[in-house]
Amino acid sequence: AAGVIQSPRHLIKEKRETATLKCYPIPRHDTVYWYQQGPGQDPQFLISFYEKMQSDKGSIPDRFSAQQFSDYHSELNMSSLELGDSALYFCASSSPGQTQETQYFGPGTRLLVL
Amino acid sequence: AQTVTQSQPEMSVQEAETVTLSCTYDTSESDYYLFWYKQPPSRQMILVIRQEAYKQQNATENRFSVNFQKAAKSFSLKISDSQLGDAAMYFCAYRSIQGGSEKLVFGKGMKLTVNP
């Protein structure tokens, strides 16, 4: 079965640079979620989109922005990167209907800020 | 705000034996969802099992089952016939239904070691 696709899988950036993470949800899934997992931490919710509109917002820094496109893929844009942004960034998706509460995670993008 | 607590940071089990992972949560809501996710060394987040709070019947998925005690706000995961591949971090998670919040709230996780 098709899963959530994230690209790139690994990313190395310098401080103050910009990064763009991409997420392609499972086909026919219309909701996308972004989470950040620091080393040894649990995933923290950043933001979510439903039908291209922001549906929920968590502890996302103002330096970060995200959007969902007409094909339901989503991008997380991160500017003025800081050392503390080094983390594993997950995208998850869910489907409309009966199992919409279940979020299926992608493999994550490992971001290292030097 | 909802919170999820996993009080045991680490556990170990012998292969083929049974282990129970504990999770408690705090909420004022009457309806919600609870999940267990597994994160192996690859760090992929894999759904193990899901429980709807309005269902009294405990969820089961092959060797995985839960003991859901709504009044006690407890949601433990039992792994039967443990296998080496079960070694991973296990996260308990809560998802609200009310108020439009879709986010998963995770516990701090528990590292499970399976000894051959």
Side-chain angles (χ1 to χ4, degrees), chain A residues 29-44:
Chain A
H29 282 200
D30 58 3
T31 307
V32 169
Y33 313 81
W34 287 97
Y35 293 85
Q36 177 191 58
Q37 185 179 27
Q41 303 292 316
D42 55 295
Q44 295 292 315

Side-chain angles (χ1 to χ4, degrees), chain A residues 14-85:
Chain A
E14 300 281 340
K15 277 172 45 178
R16 292 180 289 278
E17 285 191 324
T18 297
T20 297
L21 280 55
K22 297 185 178 182
C23 169
Y24 298 86
I26 293 170
R28 291 179 293 282
H29 282 200
D30 58 3
T31 307
V32 169
Y33 313 81
W34 287 97
Y35 293 85
Q36 177 191 58
Q37 185 179 27
Q41 303 292 316
D42 55 295
Q44 295 292 315
F45 173 73
L46 293 177
I47 196 166
S48 62
F49 293 87
Y50 167 68
E51 287 288 345
K52 294 155 281 185
M53 299 289 289
Q54 180 182 308
S55 55
D56 199 1
K57 190 173 181 180
S59 49
I60 183 169
D62 292 340
R63 301 178 288 107
F64 294 6
S65 65
Q67 58 182 325
Q68 185 180 32
F69 295 85
S70 57
D71 64 350
Y72 296 109
H73 94 272
S74 178
E75 294 183 4
L76 177 65
N77 297 293
M78 310 160 69
S79 62
S80 302
L81 287 168
E82 302 174 357
L83 297 178
D85 296 329

Side-chain angles (χ1 to χ4, degrees), chain A residues 85-110:
Chain A
D85 296 329
S86 295
L88 183 59
Y89 290 84
F90 284 110
C91 172
S93 71
S94 67
S95 67
Q98 211 164 11
T99 59
Q100 65 182 4
E101 74 284 350
T102 300
Q103 298 178 21
Y104 296 92
F105 283 74
T109 294
R110 299 189 190 213

Side-chain angles (χ1 to χ4, degrees), chain B residues 1-112:
Chain B
Q2 294 81 24
T3 59
V4 178
T5 301
Q6 294 178 252
S7 56
Q8 302 155 298
E10 291 191 46
M11 291 185 74
S12 63
V13 64
Q14 290 296 125
E15 197 176 4
E17 293 190 345
T18 296
V19 64
T20 299
L21 287 58
S22 64
C23 172
T24 59
Y25 57 94
D26 187 29
T27 184
S28 58
E29 299 176 337
S30 58
D31 207 5
Y32 44 86
Y33 295 100
L34 295 165
F35 303 86
W36 279 98
Y37 282 89
K38 166 185 175 182
Q39 189 174 41
S42 66
R43 301 198 72 187
Q44 170 87 45
M45 290 291 285
I46 302 167
L47 175 69
V48 175
I49 201 164
R50 176 187 71 198
Q51 175 77 43
E52 293 90 342
Y54 63 87
K55 289 187 177 179
Q56 292 187 338
Q57 186 175 7
N58 289 322
T60 62
E61 287 287 341
N62 301 313
R63 298 183 296 107
F64 299 88
S65 61
V66 299
N67 183 3
F68 174 49
Q69 301 290 327
K70 191 173 184 180
K73 296 179 183 175
S74 170
F75 182 59
S76 61
L77 174 70
K78 185 172 81 171
I79 305 175
S80 304
D81 186 25
S82 297
Q83 301 176 358
L84 295 177
D86 295 333
M89 284 291 291
Y90 285 82
F91 290 94
C92 178
Y94 174 103
R95 184 195 187 281
S96 175
I97 292 178
Q98 303 160 6
S101 177
E102 306 171 347
K103 66 180 182 183
L104 289 172
V105 177
F106 288 90
K108 295 301 181 186
M110 193 226 67
K111 182 179 180 181
L112 178 66

